Amino acid sequence: MGISAQARLALGWLLLTGITLFAWWMGSSHGPGPLRPDPAVAAGAIAITVVKVRVIIMEFMDARHAPRRLRYLTDSFLALFVIAMLATYRFA
Amino acid sequence: MWVLVMIEGLTFAAYFVVYTYFYRQSPDLFLASQAHLDLTLGVVNTIILLTSSWSIARCVERSRAGDYKAALRNVLLTMAGGFLFAGIKLYEWSVEIGRGFTFTTNTFFSFYYFLTGIHLLHIIVGSIALFVVIHQLSSPARRAQEIIETGATYWHMVDFLWVIIFALLYVMR
């Protein structure tokens, strides 16, 4: 038996909040002295953000029940966004 | 509504790429400025908005099930989350301005006020959409599911735009 819609939404919220707390830890964990550019933190921040946006789109906006075309469109958009952000960070 | 979501998503994605480009041109300036932001307040506001997104999703689910009383309760909770978010954001701005960091201080703070300001504008528009949802739910004569879900979709968009803004301004380095 599958979980109820309410429970699924609650799990989505728990996941999103957990990822946000992880981002908090990631953003605040740095050595003494001024902040320095950190490609690992940048890539991590972009990656977890895209995961969060996808959870919001699929679970909260209910795109997982939407026509396949919409899911392809949103996933393609997120993939292009990650590529554009990482390329800008790496090559700008 | 999904067309609007895609247009807004593309527009904001362009802002985020431009922000990253400028960050890479002056990383020391951006990171020295970022250090003045309150990461904890950013996290609190993110969780508030995620919670409001959860409650509007519950509102849609309850409305589909015909439980309009619970749906109304959830949209009111969403609205409260939006107001709380806006209040904390205004407090954060007042702290930064009090420290002398304004729109014209440097490129980072120009982006900070522009991105958070335009997002706050979306919170205001989203609140109007939530008022429409409340109006729909408060009378058995209305309750158009499509209007309720359109308002909810807009609010979720406001939520995910903030999720990206938070990562860029507060976490990325």
Side-chain angles (χ1 to χ4, degrees):
Chain A
M1 194 178 78
I3 61 171
S4 71
Q6 292 274 350
R8 198 173 170 109
L9 290 174
L11 282 175
W13 178 83
L14 268 178
L15 177 64
L16 289 164
T17 302
I19 298 173
T20 301
L21 294 176
F22 177 73
W24 188 9
W25 170 80
M26 202 169 69
S28 57
S29 60
H30 53 82
L35 292 174
R36 305 294 308 161
D38 189 332
V41 170
I46 292 166
I48 63 177
T49 297
V50 166
V51 169
K52 283 165 79 175
V53 172
R54 193 169 190 277
V55 171
I56 291 168
I57 290 173
M58 289 298 159
E59 300 299 329
F60 287 177
M61 298 173 92
D62 210 16
R64 67 195 178 89
H65 290 127
R68 194 174 295 174
R69 269 188 313 176
L70 182 67
R71 295 202 301 274
Y72 286 158
L73 194 65
T74 55
D75 282 345
S76 305
F77 173 78
L78 288 177
L80 282 174
F81 177 67
V82 171
I83 292 167
M85 290 295 289
L86 292 178
T88 307
Y89 188 91
R90 174 68 183 82
F91 299 111
Chain B
M1 179 49 71
W2 276 98
V3 173
L4 177 69
V5 169
M6 293 309 290
I7 291 169
E8 291 268 25
L10 282 169
T11 308
F12 271 84
Y15 295 152
F16 300 145
V17 169
V18 171
Y19 170 86
T20 306
Y21 174 82
F22 275 91
Y23 162 68
R24 293 300 288 166
Q25 303 310 304
S26 329
D28 293 339
L29 169 80
F30 271 58
L31 292 175
S33 304
Q34 187 192 70
H36 294 291
L37 299 186
D38 190 332
L39 177 62
T40 306
L41 275 187
V43 169
V44 168
N45 249 353
T46 304
I47 292 173
I48 287 170
L49 220 45
L50 289 172
T51 307
S52 75
S53 216
W54 177 30
S55 61
I56 196 67
R58 286 164 55 99
C59 164
V60 167
E61 193 277 328
R62 286 294 81 204
S63 174
R64 281 178 185 165
D67 184 358
Y68 296 108
K69 208 171 163 185
L72 188 58
R73 216 171 32 242
N74 276 293
V75 70
L76 289 170
L77 195 63
T78 306
M79 180 81 92
F83 286 151
L84 193 57
F85 176 93
I88 291 175
K89 183 49 64 192
L90 291 175
Y91 166 75
E92 201 181 343
W93 280 358
S94 72
V95 169
E96 298 302 339
I97 291 168
R99 289 175 178 163
F101 301 117
T102 65
F103 188 85
T104 54
T105 298
N106 60 34
T107 315
F108 174 84
F109 277 102
S110 296
F111 272 110
Y112 168 75
Y113 286 108
F114 172 72
L115 290 173
T116 56
I118 204 162
H119 181 262
L120 200 57
L121 203 62
H122 282 71
I123 290 274
I124 293 167
V125 175
S127 299
I128 294 168
L130 293 181
F131 270 121
V132 173
V133 173
I134 291 168
H135 179 69
Q136 286 289 319
L137 287 171
S138 53
S139 165
R142 292 183 290 265
R143 292 174 179 167
Q145 188 64 24
E146 195 179 339
I147 295 175
I148 293 165
E149 296 197 14
T150 299
T153 300
Y154 189 90
W155 193 260
H156 292 309
M157 181 192 74
V158 170
D159 180 29
F160 78 61
L161 289 177
W162 172 255
V163 161
I164 306 174
I165 291 170
F166 165 73
L168 292 189
L169 293 178
Y170 293 79
V171 180
M172 190 175 83
R173 56 178 193 262

